Amino acid sequence: TTTHLEDLCSFSALLPSTRARYAALVVYAPLGFVVAVVRLLLCLLVAVTHLAVAPFLPPAARAILESAAVRAMTLIGGVRIRLQTPGGAAASPRVAERLRHARVVVGNHVTQFDSLFLRVWCGGSLAVPVRETYAKSGWLLLHLTRMVVSPIWVPTPRPPPPPPPPPPSTAPQQTPPPASHASGSTEPFGRAARVPSAPGARREREGRAAVEGALRRHLRREGEPHEPLLIFPEGSITNGAGLMRFARGAFRLGEEVQPVALRVTCPLPLAHDTLTSSLPRNFARALFQPWHVAEVTLLPAVAPAPAEAAEETAARTAALIAAELGVPATRWSSADKAELKRRYGLL
C-alpha cells in the first residue's frame, strides 16, 4: 500500500484511539497536570544544580555529574529505556560497547528527546547537530539540551517559497483538489513549485556545506574525549508510521555508521510531536504522560561500499531500520513536510 505524507505526521495532539484510552485520559487529566508541574519543578532543580556546580568541577567530575543528571532526568520523566538487539533480546554489555565507541550513530526520529534515550547508554556525551532555532526555546530547555548533549549548532532550513501565481487566463478554470490523504495522490507536495530560485539554491547549498563542514570538524578533533556523532538523517520528526527519506549528509563523511531503531510508546493517546507544536509544548505533553518506554535496537554497522553513492548508502541504512521497525521506508523528505505545512497554512 502507498504511504502518504500525512500518514507520517500528526495533525493533532490527540491521537486516534479507543474509547477506553480516551476515558483513561479524562480520568487521569487532573492528576496528570499535578504530575507535570512536579516534574517541571524537579527538572528546574536539576538544571539549576548542574549550572551552579558544574563550572567548578574538573572535566572528569563534570562528566560524572552530567551522567547523573541525565539519569535523574529519565527517572523524573518516568522513562524506561531498553537497549536491545534485533528480535528484542536485551543487549549484552559487549554489544552496548558498539554504541559507546561508534564514531557516527544514525537513527529514525520519533520524538524531540531521542538524544536523551541514546545518551543514557553511551555513558558519555553525544555530539548532535541542533538547529539554531532551538536556542530560542527558553532558558530551561536550552540548558537541559546542553546538559544532555554537546550541540553542534547548524542553520535552520528556510521554509519553501510560495508557488508563483498562475498566469492570467480568460478560459474558465477548475481548482484541482489539494493532494491529500483522502485524494489518494502520491505526487510529492509542491515538487514543481519548490524549484528554488538561483539565490535560494545557493543558500541551500551553502547551508548544507556549513552543516557538513561542522560535522567533519567534529570528527577530526584530537586530544578531546570521544563523543559519538548522533545524526537523524530524516531531518524531521515522524509519528513512527514510516521513515522519511534519509538525507545523504551523514553518509558523505566516509565513516562507518551505527544504525539504531527507535520506538517510543506511552499509555495515553497523545502525540509526541505535531505539525504545529513547539518544543515547549512537546515537553509539556511528555511531562504529562504517566510513563514512557523507549526501545533502542542496535543494528549491524553499515560501511559505505566501494563506488557506492552516499544516497545509496543512506537508502540501504533506512531500509535496515525500517525492516526492524516493520514500517515502510518512504521517499518523502523533510522538504516535502515543509511544503505540506505550507499547503495547510501552518507556516
Side-chain angles (χ1 to χ4, degrees), residues 117-326:
F117 309 144
L118 291 164
R119 170 67 168 81
V120 168
W121 282 100
C122 275
S125 185
L126 288 165
V128 181
V130 180
R131 293 177 178 176
E132 293 172 343
T133 49
Y134 280 81
K136 303 176 182 178
S137 298
W139 173 84
L140 177 60
L141 291 178
L142 178 60
H143 184 73
L144 292 177
T145 298
R146 288 174 169 164
M147 187 176 66
V148 172
V149 300
S150 296
I152 301 175
W153 299 107
V154 298
T156 300
R158 299 186 180 184
S169 174
T170 57
Q173 296 182 354
Q174 294 182 348
T175 303
S180 66
H181 177 88
S183 69
S185 171
T186 59
E187 180 64 22
F189 284 88
R191 191 172 294 279
R194 280 204 334 270
V195 176
S197 61
R202 184 174 63 253
R203 287 195 302 269
E204 184 175 349
R205 289 194 301 270
E206 292 172 350
R208 290 179 178 175
V211 173
E212 187 174 330
L215 302 184
R216 290 185 183 278
R217 284 193 296 274
H218 171 80
L219 293 174
R220 288 198 301 263
R221 294 189 318 169
E222 296 180 358
E224 297 185 32
H226 170 68
E227 284 184 332
L229 177 60
L230 173 61
I231 302 175
F232 299 108
E234 291 171 288
S236 187
I237 296 174
T238 71
N239 59 14
L243 269 62
M244 290 196 292
R245 184 171 73 238
F246 276 18
R248 63 182 181 177
F251 306 92
R252 286 168 52 91
L253 302 174
E255 299 281 346
E256 180 181 84
V257 300
Q258 172 58 63
V260 295
L262 296 171
R263 182 184 288 109
V264 182
T265 56
C266 302
L268 298 178
L270 297 175
H272 301 299
D273 177 73
T274 72
L275 284 175
T276 57
S277 59
S278 60
L279 177 57
R281 289 184 180 182
N282 291 342
F283 186 56
R285 281 198 299 275
L287 295 178
F288 180 86
Q289 285 278 6
W291 65 82
H292 308 72
V293 177
E295 296 178 354
V296 182
T297 305
L298 281 179
L299 301 173
V302 175
E308 183 180 46
E311 292 85 350
E312 296 172 325
T313 311
R316 187 157 55 92
T317 307
L320 185 66
I321 295 175
E324 174 61 29
L325 296 172

